[in-house]
Amino acid sequence: MKPISQIASHVHASTTLAIDSMYKKMKADGLDVIGFGAGEPDFNTPANIIEAAERAMREGKTKYTPASGLLELKAAVCDRMYEDIGVSYNTNQVLIASGAKHNLFIAFSVLLDPGDEVILPAPFWVSYAEMIAMCGGVPVIVKAGEDQNFKITPEQLEAAITPKTKCLCLNTPSNPTGMIYSKEELLALAEVCVKHDLYIISDEIYYSLVYDGKKAVSVSTLDDEIRQHTILINGVSKTYAMTGWRVGYTMAEESLIKVMGNFVSHSTGAPATFAQWGAVEALRGPQDQVEVMRQAFERRRNLIVDRVNAVPDISCLKPEGAFYIMINLQKLIGKELYGVKINDSDDFANVLLNHGHVAVVPCTGFAAPEFVRLSYATSEQIINEGIDRIANFLKNA
Ligand SMILES: Cc1ncc(COP(=O)(O)O)c(C=O)c1O
């Protein structure tokens, strides 16, 4: 047999899924394990949204929509984004595709020629690096440590730019760090991008999950020139607890959206028609559940941060958004736990799962090998039990 393509043979399995499948297997085997791996809200989709999708199916809205998405949904996206973050686009500047993830993949496909570089601030969501490589691009990783709140500076950005740089990949609020770039910080980065004529792919999927009375700022609201360089990616997955519906969107210049639409029309087509009608209800219907979920996440964040920082030898910063914390393992690296030398967070996550029965996500795949990520999209009871277990696991090692 001839080999599969070079590009395909270099795609890695997701590290977040690897621990998750070990955790699920242990659970299926009847073991009492606690999982902090989930990258999705634990709430069910609000009932009005489910009812709207059911209604759509009964009304025969089960045929194809235009490949670039339902016009009614594009209009709902424009109105909701204007109301929530003040971004102003028309329906010709919107593409609907299967989740933010698919939109990101199409955006990279449309922008990148082989060898084009994408600046990727680290720690980053693991799929970015893979997607960039799958589209023939080269991720150029710029590291931002805990000492700089996991945020890169304009000087770091400037230093990473080469003649091959095509774009900056921004994610605020961030998975895995939970950090948010302020308006001033965004402006400083965006000005560097405009100066070098770089695109900004701005993944704002966690925009509604922001705490301490703050609001997320979209880079596309800063000024017209910046906006022309921006490809804004968002979706309904995290805000409306709709991860399984697979509806996300891109907002960008019309010429770019047209090309992205061509890609979709010859590959997947639009997301399921009734899922798109459910998303219309999510965006146009009552928004009270969004705030209820946001407040629950804020309480859980406060709890988990306080609990983790009370455990000797580990610590975490207080994130400002999303639903993840990054536990710093620096004091444990090089030590032995349960007969295993801990060289990085992969080792730690494995030993913790096997001896402490707690699943966490190692951040080796996020370019932060001395950290593990915990999702607090889970109940306060599970958070308490899980952190008790981690504390005992470390105490008894
Ligand atoms: C930063 C980031 N972007 C995009 C996604 C994917 O979102 P969607 O479910 O809309 O594809 C995720 C999911 O975990 C994410 O963390």
Side-chain angles (χ1 to χ4, degrees):
M1 296 272 266
K2 293 198 176 186
I4 59 167
S5 75
Q6 284 289 328
I7 283 189
S9 58
H10 287 102
V11 179
H12 300 102
S14 165
T15 46
T16 55
L17 295 183
I19 274 281
D20 196 48
S21 55
M22 263 166 75
Y23 155 73
K24 283 183 178 141
K25 185 171 181 317
M26 286 170 81
K27 269 205 114 141
D29 290 345
L31 286 167
D32 170 23
V33 275
I34 285 185
F36 284 112
E40 58 186 344
D42 53 325
F43 303 104
N44 201 6
T45 306
N48 60 311
I49 300 172
I50 293 174
E51 280 153 21
E54 276 177 358
R55 205 165 44 245
M57 274 190 266
R58 281 202 211 91
E59 287 171 357
K61 292 171 174 161
T62 52
K63 311 276 195 280
Y64 292 132
T65 68
S68 66
L70 196 62
L71 188 60
E72 288 84 344
L73 179 53
K74 292 181 185 179
V77 164
C78 291
D79 291 347
R80 171 63 39 218
M81 285 297 96
Y82 182 71
E83 190 166 330
D84 285 359
I85 41 175
V87 299
S88 177
Y89 288 90
N90 66 51
T91 52
N92 293 329
Q93 297 170 312
V94 180
L95 173 84
I96 309 293
S98 303
K101 199 177 228 177
H102 187 210
N103 282 274
L104 284 160
F105 186 75
I106 304 161
F108 288 126
S109 307
V110 162
L111 290 187
L112 300 180
D113 279 319
D116 279 350
E117 294 174 359
V118 179
I119 295 178
L120 187 54
F124 51 77
W125 178 47
V126 63
S127 291
Y128 295 131
E130 298 294 335
M131 282 193 223
I132 293 164
M134 282 158 83
C135 295
V138 180
V140 174
I141 294 165
V142 176
K143 289 198 179 177
E146 224 182 22
D147 55 328
Q148 50 190 89
N149 278 341
F150 299 119
K151 294 190 272 192
I152 64 161
T153 62
E155 293 74 27
Q156 284 181 291
L157 174 60
E158 187 86 55
I161 294 171
T162 75
K164 289 192 165 178
T165 310
K166 203 65 166 285
C167 69
L168 165 68
C169 179
L170 264 186
N171 174 215
T172 174
S174 155
N175 171 9
T177 71
M179 291 308 170
I180 298 177
Y181 284 92
S182 69
K183 188 171 180 181
E184 294 68 34
E185 289 164 342
L186 276 180
L187 188 60
L189 294 177
E191 279 172 348
V192 175
C193 291
V194 169
K195 185 172 116 194
H196 293 272
D197 194 20
L198 305 182
Y199 290 98
I200 305 167
I201 293 192
S202 182
D203 178 351
E204 301 177 14
I205 191 76
Y206 293 100
Y207 85 99
S208 62
L209 295 174
V210 175
Y211 313 122
D212 306 319
K214 293 190 184 143
K215 269 198 110 182
V217 179
S218 173
V219 69
S220 65
T221 58
L222 297 178
D223 74 34
D224 273 354
E225 209 180 4
I226 293 171
R227 183 193 134 116
Q228 282 159 16
H229 285 79
T230 301
I231 298 161
L232 193 169
I233 311 271
N234 208 328
V236 295
S237 290
K238 317 283 176 174
T239 304
Y240 300 97
M242 291 175 71
T243 45
W245 294 62
R246 311 311 304 133
V247 180
Y249 49 88
T250 304
M251 303 178 102
E253 291 296 290
E254 189 174 337
S255 52
L256 214 114
I257 289 292
K258 242 188 177 145
V259 183
M260 289 177 75
N262 293 343
F263 262 68
V264 174
S265 75
H266 293 298
S267 49
T268 56
T273 300
F274 41 87
Q276 291 190 68
W277 281 107
V280 171
E281 172 63 20
L283 299 168
R284 291 231 185 263
Q287 300 293 303
D288 50 319
Q289 286 309 303
V290 176
E291 178 58 13
V292 169
M293 292 190 273
R294 194 200 64 77
Q295 285 180 12
F297 284 125
E298 182 159 357
R299 282 194 301 275
R300 294 162 176 190
R301 177 206 59 166
N302 295 343
L303 173 68
I304 198 165
V305 168
D306 287 349
R307 292 284 332 260
V308 164
N309 284 321
V311 177
D313 292 335
I314 59 172
S315 62
C316 69
L317 294 184
K318 191 172 196 175
E320 304 163 290
F323 41 64
Y324 308 100
I325 56 159
M326 299 265 291
I327 294 188
N328 186 328
L329 302 174
Q330 267 155 7
K331 288 192 183 151
L332 298 171
I333 301 291
K335 292 204 171 142
E336 213 172 86
L337 296 178
Y338 299 88
V340 178
K341 182 156 181 236
I342 305 299
N343 292 311
D344 60 21
S345 57
D346 282 337
D347 295 336
F348 179 83
N350 270 309
V351 182
L352 177 62
L353 185 56
N354 287 317
H355 292 269
H357 287 184
V358 177
V360 297
V361 176
C363 295
T364 38
F366 308 172
E370 296 187 338
F371 291 83
V372 285
R373 189 195 75 181
L374 274 67
S375 159
Y376 51 89
T378 187
S379 71
E380 291 178 27
Q381 188 204 338
I382 290 181
I383 291 171
N384 276 319
E385 171 65 22
I387 306 303
D388 283 347
R389 286 189 191 188
I390 294 176
N392 285 331
F393 161 84
L394 289 173
K395 201 165 107 195
N396 300 328

